Amino acid sequence: FNPPLSSSCVQVSQYACQRRTTLQDTNRIFTDAFDILAEYFEFSENKGRKVAFLRASSLIKSLPFPITAMKEVERLPWLGDQMKAIIEEILEEGKSYKVLELMSEERYKSFKQFTSVFGVGLKTSDKWYRMGFRTLEDIKNEKELKLTKMQKCGFLYYEDITSSVSWAEAETTDQLIKSIVWKFVPDAVVTLTGGFRRGKKNGHDVDIIITCPRKGKEKNILHNTISVLKNQGLLLFSDIIESTFVETKLPSKHVDALDHFQKAFLILKLPTQQTAIGDIIDPCGCEGRKWKAVRLDLVITPYEQYSYALLGWTGSRQFERDLRRYTTHERKMMLDNHGLYDKSKKVFLKASNEEEIFEHLGLDYLEPWERNA
Ligand code: ATP
Ligand code: MN
Ligand code: MN
């Protein structure tokens, strides 16, 4: 007799960094609903409930069995009465009318559209909503409305940017950046990170992190790379952020803090694969066009911070939040994308790879594909 794995016999940690979460989510019907609710509460500026639904969704993503009965979720952390009610509704009806009802609210629908534009976040969405706009058509028709350069590009390349980036496109981008960077700095380390490093087959962008073992040699890489992209006619947009890192500063206390690395948010004009003669299927759906607009994040890090940066940019976002929460509450240390500070010993802990960071934290190592929390 082989009893099915269920929560009654599996101890589930409240921290995503103590759970192995692969892309095999056998409970997508529940996690999709919870992710939508997290987004709903983000749009209604209810941070507490947003975080609660993200935690619950993340926890369910780690379960090795499909939920089939309420008793299987009884003892799990993070699942409050409201969440259990939604699970029960989905178990009984195959869908949640509560979720469908919230999704059909005007504010949710408008924010969903507005935030899908590159350069438009909660602040701009809220402003547009207050001004009475409801759809992207409303925005496009309002010629007087001031848009940032980023938002203008967001509208200009909207179709390309909102269609997801494929693994093949991520590979092409990675190869392109490597070939450019290695011309200047042959020993530069260029790593594809973000969702693609976690094994995702699609993403909303490509994330690449760059460093060099020779101290200081990483400093000119970003500007040189962007110049080459520009000269080759491959750059549609760039927003360059210079480093604001201060050596003496302790890691940030906030789980969602941004880092201080030099970086760039780009839109590339990515050449698409040459189609063979007689090929009628266009792999990117760009109908005869020889390129696709692809979002790329480039991050430059000093060599001694590289492992921390890689861990931070590999994600998932929820994995990172829990890793920091765990570090603060269970280890009395502070972690960010630059380093790890031990508060009792009053020292920064060095790490030359991700395994060493997990070791410092007393955590079992999780491979990137097990961090899809
Ligand atoms: P997607 O397929 O949607 O791109 P993703 O996991 O790659 O999924 P990203 O938004 O590209 O999502 O972010 C990748 C990781 O980089 C996240 O886990 C996040 O922690 C980190 N990150 C993203 N933007 C920043 C930023 N501005 N500063 C610091 N870290 C960031
Ligand atoms: Mn990404
Ligand atoms: Mn990104």
Side-chain angles (χ1 to χ4, degrees), residues 194 204-207 265 295-297 313 317:
H204 98 281
D205 67 356
V206 182
D207 305 282
F265 305 111
R295 275 271 301 111
L296 167 64
D297 290 344
W313 276 82
R317 270 172 204 274

Side-chain angles (χ1 to χ4, degrees), residues 143-365:
K143 301 292 174 218
E144 300 297 296
L145 200 63
K146 270 247 176 298
L147 297 178
T148 64
K149 210 178 133 226
M150 200 183 235
Q151 291 162 354
K152 280 181 192 157
C153 284
F155 277 107
L156 204 50
Y157 308 115
Y158 184 78
E159 307 300 331
D160 278 11
I161 294 177
T162 50
S163 82
S164 69
V165 181
S166 68
W167 172 255
E169 288 158 353
E171 281 254 271
T172 308
T173 307
D174 187 42
Q175 291 305 321
L176 172 71
I177 298 302
K178 280 178 171 145
S179 72
I180 296 172
V181 170
W182 286 342
K183 281 208 183 90
F184 303 111
V185 185
D187 56 339
V189 181
V190 181
T191 313
L192 183 61
T193 179
F196 287 107
R197 185 164 182 254
R198 302 196 307 275
K200 278 176 66 179
K201 295 280 173 278
N202 292 287
H204 98 281
D205 67 356
V206 182
D207 305 282
I208 293 178
I209 185 162
I210 304 172
T211 188
C212 180
R214 282 177 298 139
K215 200 172 168 61
K217 294 298 175 200
E218 76 282 356
K219 284 192 177 137
N220 292 321
I221 292 177
L222 191 67
H223 288 274
N224 287 340
T225 303
I226 289 173
S227 294
V228 172
L229 287 169
K230 202 179 281 174
N231 292 338
Q232 293 185 348
L234 298 176
L235 193 67
L236 296 171
F237 171 84
S238 71
D239 179 19
I240 303 177
I241 318 279
E242 293 302 333
S243 167
T244 53
F245 178 69
V246 183
E247 203 118 340
T248 50
K249 240 187 170 164
L250 293 183
S252 166
K253 284 198 179 71
H254 301 286
V255 288
D256 281 315
L258 298 178
D259 64 41
H260 302 281
F261 293 118
Q262 185 192 35
K263 57 175 85 68
F265 305 111
L266 310 173
I267 302 177
L268 293 191
K269 185 172 175 175
L270 193 72
T272 46
Q273 255 88 21
Q274 293 288 310
T275 44
I277 300 165
D279 237 354
I280 28 168
I281 299 157
D282 185 344
C284 83
C286 309
E287 275 120 285
R289 259 174 48 198
K290 299 260 184 329
W291 58 276
K292 178 183 172 185
V294 169
R295 275 271 301 111
L296 167 64
D297 290 344
L298 284 183
V299 189
I300 311 292
T301 89
Y303 197 64
E304 67 277 9
Q305 296 174 27
Y306 172 72
S307 305
Y308 287 101
L310 183 62
L311 178 63
W313 276 82
T314 298
S316 70
R317 270 172 204 274
Q318 191 54 32
F319 177 84
E320 304 297 334
R321 286 189 194 103
D322 275 10
L323 192 61
R324 289 185 181 197
R325 200 163 54 82
Y326 171 88
T327 306
T328 306
H329 297 293
E330 307 296 330
R331 293 288 160 214
K332 305 282 172 281
M333 295 185 189
M334 298 163 90
L335 174 74
D336 68 6
N337 289 2
H338 301 272
L340 177 63
Y341 182 76
D342 186 325
K343 287 204 283 188
S344 41
K345 293 185 185 145
K346 295 198 170 63
V347 287
F348 282 93
L349 302 173
K350 286 188 181 23
S352 49
N353 52 49
E354 289 176 317
E355 282 89 341
E356 289 181 17
I357 304 175
F358 281 82
E359 227 164 88
H360 287 321
L361 293 170
L363 287 169
D364 288 340
Y365 182 66

